Amino acid sequence: MVIEESIPLYTFTTMKVGGNARFFARVRTVVELHEALKYAKDNAVPVFIMGGGSNILVASGGFNGLVIKIELKGIDWVKSADGIYVDVNVASGELWDNFVGETTTRGLWGLENLSAIPGTVGASPVQNIGAYGVEAKDVILNVTAVHCQSGEERIFYHDECNFGYRDSFFKTAEGKYYIITKVSFRLQTKSLPKIDYKDVRLYFENNQVTGREVSSQDIRSAIIAIRRVKFPDLNTYGTAGSYFKNPIITIGAFETLCKKYPDMPSYVIDREHVKIPLAWVLDVACALKGFREGHVGLFEKQPLVLVNFGGAESAEILNFADIVSRKVFEATGILIEPEVEHIGF
Ligand code: EPU
């Protein structure tokens, strides 16, 4: 394993901004991971674990520590004796969407709705990535991780991961010490289409599959087509997808807001809370669809997606996000939170 110095991080992020990592190491094996962690300990520098760089905003000043880029590879498929499911053990450095594509090619069910999401497999439990009515937690069996200080390896079973909306144990103060090396998923061999989500339902109403049943590969193709229209092309723009989380508010707060915005949509979370689609708030309540200042803006087809149109500095993005947050607060009284992780600020 090689430790490099002064490596520009913007090249490793989909947002395409950010300064240098003081130290930078690519790890391809767990042994190399331990070596990198020892280097950080010996040099008394903090560690940042980087996967696909698709959900981070790095400060212009960079990261004054060791960035470890996880490049652990390998996928192991284990079919159950009765043939009903397949357990798949995936190294955390595998590209998420390559893995999802492989599952649908094999005719497996469970991950097809999570197609075309950038990033690596290791990030999927941290964020509990979700889209089109499915979350990673629905199919995650367990997560293997290494403690960055003690080096201890531990398996976290599903319930120990404390999954929530864009949340898990791995985002807590204690969980942040763990570096994910492997994720195990249980996928089904029997047809299990989930096509209720509005965009997916509309897609299949307009593009019907005739003469056979819908396959997981059909759903993957549908999701890829839907996302191609709604999300900016990563090769053209800098973006990290949804910049903010959809806010979860109390029913009481929602009822008050409905007096001002009778058409405000909501999704029930539990008996006391609802989730509000922030895209609707930005679009309808704040009229911010396509809102742009300088090099930064909200994508005109999906306002929850913040775009670096080229040439933005990290501070400009942060400032823009702050303006958006304030406008949302003025219109609704809701304090929104970033979904994107901020590094080096
Ligand atoms: N809407 C509008 N105007 C718009 C767009 C949307 O009013 O221009 C309203 C509609 O009511 C729509 C609702 O917002 O039904 C929700 O929009 P959408 O289905 O596009 O989903 P989202 O809540 O904006 C979430 C995830 C995405 C994920 C999509 C699809 C978060 C923070 N974002 O977005 O995840 O792809 O659902 O399931 O939960 C990401 O995490 O980076 C991400 C892209």
Side-chain angles (χ1 to χ4, degrees), residues 249-259 271-274:
I249 62 173
T250 62
I251 304 265
F254 175 64
E255 282 169 358
T256 306
L257 269 175
C258 280
K259 290 185 188 128
R271 282 165 65 179
E272 282 144 38
H273 298 91
V274 291

Side-chain angles (χ1 to χ4, degrees), residues 131-132 165-166 197 227 242 246 280 283 289 302-303 339:
Y132 307 103
Y165 166 61
R166 294 292 190 278
Y197 196 94
R227 292 188 73 108
S242 302
N246 285 320
W280 186 93
D283 179 1
K289 208 165 173 169
Q302 219 308 1
E339 200 241 30

